[in-house]
Amino acid sequence: MIPEPIQPISQEEAASTLDEIDRIGRQMRRAVAAGCAAPMLILWGSIWIVGFTAEQFFPYADRYWLVLDLVGLAVSCFLGAWSRKSPVKGPGRGRIGLSWLILFGFAILWSLLWYPTGLVYGARWVAYGPLLERKMAVFWVTVCMFAYMIMGLWLDRFLLWLGAAVTVATLIGFALAPHFLFLWIAVSGGGALVTVGAVIRKSWR
Amino acid sequence: MAEIDRIIHAPARLRIMSALMALQPGTQLDFRTLGRTLGLTDGNLGAHLQTLEEARYIKVEKSFVERKPRTDVAITSRGRTRFEEHVEALREICRVPNSPNL
């Protein structure tokens, strides 16, 4: 096919073409993100709602968090395998998954270093009180939201704002409502992830 | 000085290249998703992809996934460079209205 001759381009046409390029780039990044990010957001948002709500009302948080995290990881691996049929193939997808694994490894390492694992639950409670659990919860939420903010710089600013908003909400809860912190995170953090996942799934495709 | 690329300049091809440029280098995109996202018919998309492939701006790969045919499209490094030059030429027009970039 022989390319058509080009008519002179005005300043307005050039500007609108640049806007169109930006719009399509954003639309494409969103369409790709909708396929992989939306199910992950809904999954981990649901896990946060269940886990933090349970932590608010029942003791022995570390035990059921272990179960919930294992379930989350198993379902995430399944979603990753399922997404091989996704419209996008390339090195980027694997790198995002690997980045999350490295981040989790880093967070688990510091959790183990900080957490007094040598004490039984009752003794730990007497020695440190509920503050330790609250700090650990804030640590995990802010680490995960830090990752969302980094992803937001690459994929879509929407994720950047989500990460920043949940981080701020969590810190506000930690400072102003410490006795209801877990419930606060379940609603503000888990609820936000599920809602945003649903919105992405519906409107970004 | 950057120049407007005659092949990329056509509206449909500009949109195809913009979409592929939004992905990370080395990433392939399914033909159907590309067409659906850009609102192009299969025939229209196929014709423009052929032009871009002949110019070596994109690479098209055909395969079978679970016995179903699948076509993946990726931008080449040459295509990426030409697109960046095209965008730079558009920016120059915005900065200097009567720039001789055609």
Side-chain angles (χ1 to χ4, degrees):
Chain A
M1 189 186 289
I2 300 165
E4 309 81 16
I6 303 176
Q7 298 298 315
I9 301 169
S10 69
Q11 207 170 8
E12 290 74 26
E13 282 171 318
S16 73
T17 305
L18 287 171
D19 287 344
E20 177 75 350
I21 289 169
D22 282 345
R23 188 189 66 75
I24 288 172
R26 198 164 51 246
Q27 185 186 350
M28 182 49 66
R29 281 191 294 274
R30 286 185 165 194
V32 170
C36 57
M40 291 291 184
L41 283 167
I42 293 170
L43 168 70
W44 286 100
S46 306
I47 287 174
W48 279 19
I49 290 171
V50 173
F52 283 114
T53 304
E55 193 164 1
Q56 180 70 53
F57 297 108
F58 305 105
Y60 305 111
D62 41 2
R63 293 180 191 174
Y64 48 75
W65 266 119
L66 183 68
V67 174
L68 284 170
D69 286 339
L70 286 174
V71 169
L73 276 174
V75 178
S76 296
C77 289
F78 171 76
L79 288 172
W82 174 69
S83 68
R84 277 184 199 165
K85 285 185 262 175
S86 85
V88 179
K89 286 198 295 187
R93 296 179 67 82
R95 279 205 287 263
I96 289 176
L98 195 62
S99 305
W100 273 102
L101 276 180
I102 291 169
L103 184 83
F104 272 125
F106 171 82
I108 288 168
L109 173 72
W110 279 101
S111 297
L112 292 175
L113 286 173
W114 280 338
Y115 212 74
T117 48
L119 298 173
V120 294
Y121 187 83
R124 197 161 67 223
W125 187 265
V126 170
Y128 295 95
L131 189 61
L132 183 69
E133 265 80 11
R134 286 181 205 144
K135 281 187 174 174
M136 291 302 288
V138 171
F139 168 72
W140 274 97
V141 170
T142 51
V143 162
C144 289
M145 289 304 107
F146 174 72
Y148 275 101
M149 286 189 272
I150 298 292
M151 282 202 306
L153 291 174
W154 293 96
L155 291 174
D156 196 287
R157 292 295 158 95
F158 193 66
L159 289 173
L160 177 72
W161 295 118
L162 170 69
V166 174
T167 298
V168 170
T170 304
L171 293 174
I172 288 172
F174 183 73
L176 301 181
H179 299 295
F180 297 100
L181 177 68
F182 302 124
L183 201 55
W184 173 258
I185 295 175
V187 174
S188 65
L193 295 188
V194 171
T195 306
V196 168
V199 169
I200 286 175
R201 193 173 179 79
K202 190 164 184 235
S203 61
W204 280 14
R205 281 181 187 275
Chain B
M1 181 176 279
E3 287 185 4
I4 292 291
D5 188 295
R6 286 171 177 269
I7 296 170
I8 296 174
H9 186 63
R13 292 197 287 273
L14 180 96
R15 295 171 73 200
I16 292 168
M17 292 294 280
S18 305
L20 295 174
M21 276 295 285
L23 305 173
Q24 287 191 336
T27 305
Q28 294 177 311
L29 187 68
D30 174 49
F31 177 93
R32 287 183 181 190
T33 306
L34 184 61
R36 194 179 61 231
T37 309
L38 299 178
L40 295 172
T41 62
D42 286 0
N44 199 2
L45 178 62
H48 287 297
L49 287 181
Q50 193 182 343
T51 305
L52 290 169
E53 192 181 19
E54 282 166 2
R56 291 184 288 129
Y57 289 1
I58 61 161
K59 207 167 51 180
V60 178
E61 265 184 32
K62 293 179 190 293
S63 61
F64 282 88
V65 176
E66 294 180 356
R67 296 180 190 175
K68 288 177 188 166
R70 173 176 166 142
T71 303
D72 289 303
V73 186
I75 194 163
T76 61
S77 55
R78 174 186 160 91
R80 204 167 269 278
T81 306
R82 289 295 163 87
F83 186 83
E84 282 165 355
E85 286 172 0
H86 183 80
V87 169
E88 188 49 39
L90 291 170
R91 288 200 183 113
E92 276 173 19
I93 295 173
C94 289
R95 283 194 295 268
V96 188
N98 299 318
S99 61
N101 43 45
L102 300 180

